[in-house]
Amino acid sequence: MATLVTVVSLGLPAVAATPAAAAPGCAVLQSGASPAAQAAVEVACRYVGQPYAWGGGHAQGVPGPSQGMIDRTSPLESASDPTYWSFDCIGLVRWAWYKATGRDLITERTTQATFAAPGYAHTKFLKSQGSGVLLPGDIMYFGREGFGPTHVALYLGNGMMVEAPQSGMKIQVNSISARWERFQGAFRPHADVTPQVWSWDGRGGLHKTWGQPNLRQDSNTGSRINFTNGNGISVHVRVLCQRVGERATLDGMVNNVWSFLPDYHSWISNLFVQGPALLKDVPSCGNYPEIGGTLAGAENNTSCGDGTAPDSAGAWTAKSTPVFGRTVELRYNSTTQCAWGRIIGGTVGDEIWVDRSADGGHTWDSMLGFTTITSGNDAYTTQWNDAGLVMRACGTNGPGGAIECTGWF
């Protein structure tokens, strides 16, 4: 799609948006599609070459690339999917149409559910009508006859589609002829393009969320909620800038820094962004006069979100366990009541995270601070508050390897 729009949203002055380039060979390949459908194709094409992640794009209430899951029907093939923040087939289509319209048309529902009850205004096309009626941006459904659809793709035109095929593969462009035998129908959403979601296109950096954050109209908890992550699936969000706002608290953690997410035109407390209280390499929103704000006072954050390393003063190993020659540790600071997970003596790809329980280890929040060794032999999670709770550290000798957890502490 050519140059996209001038943006006005949230009462901010207009900003020109310059779309990032789509992958070569992935584009609107025939005329006749609506501006929104063309925009949806533009979005999907940007992710060609990214890995497929089963369950990716299914955060409840918040579209976007999210942490994958292990598919219980093919656990070996999907063993690496939790290490990717990406999309499965319907997750990619959901994000494409959200970015095009500013509306979460598809929601976090499954391929089968969206085919049975789309939930948005549309025109439906049947297989008996042939492929000649299709236009770029149409949502194509595939599956064995009599069993309902199990796959979805976005039509590009001229017999081509962009799709996230399956675990172990990458998002790619393919001919619809390869799947036409299983084609069950297509939907063409009736929706207008909304320029606001293209604001500051190509700027900012990606950061992972955790927990169930509310994305708000302003940097305080009294402002309107625009989005809520209802199932806690971690989403890869684009952060443009950060500023000091209301001092928020959660599970004993405190943070007064908020980040602006241009893809949602909303603010998120940095309590819900993985990393230190003040995100590294993210500028002050004062660098963007149309947004505004300052980081003055951010240094007053002294909670478990302050980025302190697990070998800092006062930290000690509360629990540890071996895993194939590595050591998984739960590091703890008795003064701050903060804890980390750390893996030492490992190799690139080894994984580490912490679990936290409020009932003595009977149930727990899992895989908090999940990270991997990207260089060297060690890695550690962000800090987590352990006051009045119990925690353990878990690690693996690489994706799909053995999982070993320390005892609870």
Side-chain angles (χ1 to χ4, degrees):
M1 186 170 57
T3 304
L4 271 181
V5 303
T6 298
V7 180
V8 180
S9 179
L10 300 184
L12 302 178
V15 178
T18 305
C26 189
V28 175
L29 299 180
Q30 72 182 65
S31 61
S34 70
Q38 294 180 59
V41 169
E42 162 72 21
V43 173
C45 286
R46 295 181 179 195
Y47 293 89
V48 169
Q50 296 296 310
Y52 173 99
W54 192 85
H58 287 264
Q60 183 180 4
V62 182
S66 67
Q67 186 176 17
M69 309 173 190
I70 292 178
D71 180 357
R72 294 180 181 178
T73 65
S74 54
L76 294 179
E77 293 82 351
S78 60
S80 295
D81 287 15
T83 67
Y84 302 132
W85 272 251
S86 188
F87 300 103
D88 64 10
C89 61
I90 191 67
L92 176 65
V93 171
R94 176 192 185 189
W95 179 240
W97 271 98
Y98 164 73
K99 281 279 287 181
T101 65
R103 296 167 52 199
D104 191 10
L105 299 176
I106 311 299
T107 74
E108 68 279 359
R109 296 175 300 150
T110 64
T111 297
Q112 296 83 355
T114 58
F115 184 76
Y120 53 85
H122 66 277
T123 299
K124 183 176 182 179
F125 300 94
L126 305 177
K127 183 176 182 179
S128 59
Q129 295 175 267
S131 62
V133 298
L134 300 178
L135 290 174
D138 287 352
I139 303 170
M140 305 183 69
Y141 287 83
F142 303 89
R144 290 173 57 192
E145 186 175 355
F147 288 89
T150 55
H151 183 63
V152 65
L154 202 65
Y155 191 57
L156 300 176
N158 291 344
M160 304 299 289
M161 63 184 176
V162 57
E163 61 175 337
Q166 63 187 50
S167 296
M169 300 182 71
K170 295 182 178 181
I171 297 171
Q172 57 192 255
V173 173
N174 287 311
S175 170
I176 66 172
S177 62
R179 294 187 184 270
W180 185 254
E181 182 179 347
R182 295 192 173 194
F183 178 62
Q184 294 197 2
F187 294 109
R188 180 175 302 158
H190 299 168
D192 296 328
V193 67
T194 303
Q196 69 175 33
V197 293
W198 295 89
S199 302
W200 300 279
D201 196 45
R203 294 192 245 177
L206 293 173
H207 293 264
K208 299 168 184 174
T209 68
W210 74 272
Q212 297 177 274
N214 293 318
L215 309 188
R216 295 183 176 272
Q217 185 80 0
D218 204 346
S219 51
N220 63 77
T221 58
S223 61
R224 187 184 72 210
I225 297 173
N226 295 329
F227 300 87
T228 295
N229 187 329
N231 56 15
I233 294 175
S234 176
V235 182
H236 228 180
V237 294
R238 184 165 61 102
V239 174
L240 182 69
C241 62
Q242 54 189 342
R243 74 183 184 194
V244 167
E246 179 186 346
R247 193 173 182 83
T249 62
L250 177 73
D251 293 338
M253 295 184 290
V254 180
N255 201 335
N256 63 359
V257 183
W258 294 66
S259 290
F260 182 67
L261 311 182
D263 290 324
Y264 309 95
H265 269 246
S266 299
W267 294 87
I268 185 173
S269 167
N270 280 15
L271 285 172
F272 294 97
V273 182
Q274 295 185 32
L278 184 63
L279 299 177
K280 297 178 180 179
D281 303 319
V282 176
S284 165
C285 289
N287 292 2
Y288 296 88
E290 63 274 24
I291 301 176
T294 175
L295 289 174
E299 66 277 4
N300 294 331
N301 285 303
T302 57
S303 71
C304 295
D306 64 3
T308 303
D311 55 358
S312 54
W316 55 285
T317 299
K319 296 285 184 177
S320 66
T321 190
V323 55
F324 282 89
R326 294 91 162 142
T327 300
V328 173
E329 299 178 320
L330 180 73
R331 297 282 289 176
Y332 183 71
N333 187 308
S334 301
T335 301
T336 63
Q337 294 184 293
C338 300
W340 308 255
R342 181 169 72 174
I343 188 167
I344 58 177
T347 59
V348 172
D350 289 355
E351 303 166 328
I352 184 71
W353 66 89
V354 293
D355 297 337
R356 185 169 59 178
S357 172
D359 58 10
H362 297 289
T363 62
W364 57 85
D365 294 324
S366 180
M367 300 191 77
L368 304 178
F370 175 90
T371 191
T372 62
I373 297 178
T374 56
S375 63
N377 305 106
D378 307 333
Y380 60 88
T381 69
T382 49
Q383 299 175 84
W384 295 83
N385 187 271
D386 196 28
L389 307 166
V390 294
M391 291 179 61
R392 68 181 182 183
C394 299
T396 75
N397 56 316
I403 298 175
E404 295 292 342
C405 296
T406 68
W408 292 101
F409 177 80

